[in-house]
């Protein structure tokens, strides 16, 4: 659309539908290789966030002083739309989709992009929305430089992806805090006051945006908080309250996500009636604590999107019944010890699902029964054999999916297929 000479290089295979799109727009492409000579002719490179900075081609680009940016950085150059940007180790997809749902319900002209939905750039090229709700991973933030959010939301920071950050948690924290870069006093930064890693970093970092906190642990004079099972928003002399029980999504972590989403909505002048309706009819996220089927009164829950240990901690915390936990995949430097208490209290057995389950077996073999499997069908069958009426079988892997599956969505779909076939 902007007249650039574009070349797409994918070291993996390109899906047929994407090849057809590239051919339709007469964009040159290659798959199963990187042609260094062609790539190094570029004036600028837009990198997929999944590619680490220490790969050979990225190092070559660095040495040749060719700028490497994220697709978010590129797209923002061509739109004046307001951006509501969400990051965090957990809950960002739910919060992003909830805010998008609220703004659409309020009849705002809004797009959904980032780590979810269609690409930001494609939507800027084709639709020209007034607002964009962007889910941003730390990998995307790493290659964003001039980008500025109008509203930035930082939900939480717990260890994740440390393999990409030299196994240094502080590097990962710094990556998450890039969401506030370039913000001014005219912008808004919404943050979780309950998260010690965030509050500790804020003591040492100057934030130029107007900061607004949310909390499920303490009452705030200004911001949003939980009080006697009621969501309370105190902003700009306006107050909005809503019973926690009216939310369509359950759990303390979703109360936290809803507090953050509600602040963003009020900053964009969404009416209370519209906000209340959106909170009650939001359908949640597929593969995130998705109550799938009950068989023989055994509840099967698909939480395939739980790709870190903290997500599993939230999941186990929200379940009251005895649980069989399916765990495993590609470990990202996980510390499983934070799960010990919940595993002792409510996990009857852990079913490992991965090519190499040694670390998980070692972590839990003294606490509960542990079984080793390498296929979804075997894992689900094993869990079903152990489970009794009233139990829960929870797929909440704490790991990346790429050892056995295309992605977390493929893993979740295979789980549901395996449960259906019981």
């Amino acid at each position: 659309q902007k007249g650039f000479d574009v070349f797409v290089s994918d070291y993996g295979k390109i899906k047929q539908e994407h090849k057809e799109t590239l051919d339709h727009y007469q964009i040159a492409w290659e798959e199963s290789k990187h042609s260094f000579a062609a790539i190094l002719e570029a004036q600028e490179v837009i990198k997929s966030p999944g590619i680490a900075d220490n790969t050979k081609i990225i190092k070559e680009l660095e040495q040749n002083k060719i700028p490497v940016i994220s697709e978010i950085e590129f797209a923002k150059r061509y739109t004046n739309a307001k951006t509501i940007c969400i990051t965090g180790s957990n809950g960002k997809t739910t919060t992003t989709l909830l805010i998008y749902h609220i703004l659409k319900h309020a009849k705002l002209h809004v797009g959904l992009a980032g780590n979810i939905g269609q690409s930001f750039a494609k939507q800027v090229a084709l639709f020209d929305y007034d607002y964009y709700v962007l889910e941003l991973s730390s990998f995307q933030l790493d290659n964003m430089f001039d980008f500025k959010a109008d509203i930035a939301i930082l939900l939480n920071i717990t260890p994740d992806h440390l393999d990409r950050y030299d196994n240094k948690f502080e590097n990962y924290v710094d990556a998450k805090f890039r969401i506030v870069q370039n913000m001014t006093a005219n912008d808004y930064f919404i943050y979780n006051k309950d998260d010690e890693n965030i509050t500790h970093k804020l003591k040492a970092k100057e934030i130029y945006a107007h900061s607004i906190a949310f909390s499920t642990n303490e009452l705030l004079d200004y911001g949003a908080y939980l009080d006697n099972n009621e969501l309370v928003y105190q902003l700009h002399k306006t107050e909005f309250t809503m019973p926690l029980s009216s939310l369509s999504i359950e759990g303390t972590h979703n109360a936290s996500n809803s507090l953050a989403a509600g602040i963003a909505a009020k900053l964009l002048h969404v009416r209370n009636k519209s906000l209340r309706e959106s909170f009650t009819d939001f359908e949640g996220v597929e593969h995130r604590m998705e109550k799938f089927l009950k068989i023989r009164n055994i509840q099967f829950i698909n939480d395939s999107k739980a790709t870190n240990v903290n997500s599993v901690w939230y999941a186990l915390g929200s379940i009251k019944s005895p649980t069989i936990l399916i765990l495993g995949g590609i470990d990202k430097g996980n510390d499983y010890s934070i799960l010990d208490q919940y595993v002792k209290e409510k996990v009857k057995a852990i079913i490992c699902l991965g090519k190499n389950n040694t670390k998980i077996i070692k972590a839990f073999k003294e606490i509960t029964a542990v079984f080793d499997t390498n296929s979804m069908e075997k894992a689900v069958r094993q869990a079903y054999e152990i489970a009794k009426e009233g139990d829960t079988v929870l797929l909440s892997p704490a790991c990346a999916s790429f050892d056995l599956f295309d992605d977390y969505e493929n893993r979740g779909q295979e789980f549901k297929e395996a449960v259906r076939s019981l």
Side-chain angles (χ1 to χ4, degrees):
Q1 194 212 51
K2 297 296 176 186
F4 291 114
D5 179 13
V6 181
F7 175 56
V8 171
S9 175
D10 195 328
Y11 201 73
K13 291 282 187 187
I14 299 176
K15 289 181 180 176
Q16 185 58 35
E17 64 189 282
H18 299 322
K19 289 178 184 177
E20 289 169 8
T21 300
L22 294 167
D23 290 342
H24 174 75
Y25 288 105
Q26 298 181 309
I27 293 168
W29 56 268
E30 66 177 2
E31 64 179 351
S32 305
K33 63 178 179 180
H34 287 317
S35 299
F36 278 45
I39 294 167
L40 292 171
E41 284 181 11
Q43 290 177 308
E44 188 166 57
V45 169
I46 299 171
K47 175 175 81 69
S48 165
I51 299 171
D53 289 335
N54 62 1
T55 55
K56 193 176 177 189
I57 185 62
I58 302 303
K59 289 193 166 225
E60 288 268 343
L61 288 163
E62 259 180 38
Q63 285 165 13
N64 284 271
K65 296 187 166 46
I66 297 168
V68 178
I69 63 168
S70 81
E71 178 259 343
I72 308 294
E73 175 85 358
F74 175 76
K76 186 65 168 75
R77 294 173 184 169
Y78 303 101
T79 177
N80 292 317
K82 284 203 176 299
T83 54
I84 301 93
C85 303
I86 300 96
T87 198
S89 304
N90 297 291
K92 57 184 179 291
T93 301
T94 299
T95 307
T96 301
L97 285 171
L98 177 55
I99 293 171
Y100 176 66
H101 174 70
I102 291 166
L103 300 188
K104 272 198 71 130
H105 186 73
K107 302 291 192 288
L108 297 182
H109 190 46
V110 59
L112 171 74
N115 213 28
I116 190 172
Q118 289 186 326
S119 81
F120 186 25
K122 181 176 183 178
Q123 292 180 75
V124 168
L126 298 179
F127 304 117
D128 196 27
Y129 290 113
D130 298 325
Y131 300 87
Y132 286 95
V133 185
L134 304 177
E135 177 189 332
L136 299 178
S137 71
S138 56
F139 299 164
Q140 287 168 314
L141 289 163
D142 285 336
N143 291 102
M144 290 161 61
F145 306 99
D146 296 325
F147 179 95
K148 178 185 78 68
D150 294 287
I151 297 174
I153 299 174
L154 183 50
L155 295 169
N156 45 60
I157 307 178
T158 55
D160 195 9
H161 304 298
L162 297 190
D163 52 330
R164 280 278 291 262
Y165 292 100
D166 301 325
N167 286 309
K168 292 178 181 170
F169 182 53
E170 60 269 28
N171 292 352
Y172 176 63
V173 172
D174 288 342
K176 286 296 187 190
F177 263 88
R178 287 176 71 92
I179 198 157
V180 299
Q181 68 182 7
N182 305 317
M183 293 183 85
T184 70
N186 296 322
D187 306 313
Y188 293 93
F189 172 51
I190 300 166
Y191 70 95
N192 185 351
K193 198 163 188 279
D194 301 334
D195 190 296
E196 290 180 6
N197 295 314
I198 294 175
T199 53
H200 178 72
K201 183 71 175 177
L202 284 174
K203 287 174 187 170
K205 186 173 180 66
E206 191 169 6
I207 306 289
Y208 298 103
H210 190 80
S211 297
I212 306 174
F214 63 91
S215 172
T216 58
N217 294 337
E218 61 177 290
L219 309 186
L220 305 174
D221 292 331
Y222 181 70
Y225 56 90
L226 199 56
D227 181 19
N228 289 326
N229 290 319
E230 191 157 62
L231 304 174
V232 181
Y233 299 84
Q234 303 260 27
L235 294 166
H236 304 303
K237 298 179 184 174
T238 63
E239 184 174 304
F240 170 71
T241 61
M242 182 164 173
L244 185 60
S245 58
S246 298
L247 291 181
S248 61
I249 45 179
E250 300 171 6
T252 307
H253 57 296
N254 279 323
S256 193
N257 296 337
S258 300
L259 289 171
I263 295 171
K266 293 312 295 176
L267 291 174
L268 295 170
H269 311 295
V270 173
R271 293 176 182 275
N272 289 350
K273 180 176 181 290
S274 180
L275 181 55
R276 188 171 279 108
E277 289 167 353
S278 299
F279 275 144
T280 53
D281 66 8
F282 176 62
E283 291 185 354
V285 181
E286 189 181 12
H287 311 298
R288 168 61 83 206
M289 289 305 288
E290 178 190 4
K291 288 183 178 175
F292 180 54
L293 282 179
K294 265 192 179 178
I295 302 173
R296 222 179 68 222
N297 203 30
I298 297 163
Q299 176 71 64
F300 288 83
I301 296 178
N302 169 25
D303 194 33
S304 180
K305 203 171 188 311
T307 57
N308 60 53
V309 177
N310 215 257
S311 289
V312 182
W313 185 85
Y314 282 121
L316 288 172
S318 68
I319 294 173
K320 303 291 183 274
S321 54
T323 301
I324 294 90
L325 173 62
I326 301 175
L327 200 64
I330 295 178
D331 187 282
K332 299 181 287 184
N334 290 345
D335 175 7
Y336 293 102
S337 63
I338 68 162
L339 301 178
D340 285 358
Q341 195 57 41
Y342 277 145
V343 171
K344 283 174 191 167
E345 289 171 6
K346 57 179 79 175
V347 175
K348 291 172 71 170
I350 287 174
I351 316 295
C352 298
L353 173 62
K355 285 187 175 176
N356 182 358
N357 298 314
T358 311
K359 188 174 174 182
I360 295 171
I361 293 167
K362 188 178 176 185
F364 295 110
K365 65 181 181 181
E366 304 296 330
I367 303 175
T368 190
V370 182
F371 298 84
D372 196 5
T373 70
N374 58 9
S375 80
M376 185 62 80
E377 188 181 2
K378 288 177 187 172
V380 169
R381 174 63 60 184
Q382 180 77 68
Y384 185 56
E385 287 173 4
I386 296 166
K388 302 278 193 294
E389 281 197 28
D391 289 355
T392 295
V393 173
L394 171 67
L395 170 70
S396 194
C399 298
S401 55
F402 306 119
D403 57 340
L404 296 174
F405 308 97
D406 296 338
D407 48 35
Y408 77 83
E409 291 164 317
N410 173 235
R411 177 168 62 191
Q413 295 296 352
E414 287 210 14
F415 172 75
K416 293 198 276 192
E417 283 300 316
V419 173
R420 275 194 202 99
S421 65
L422 286 173

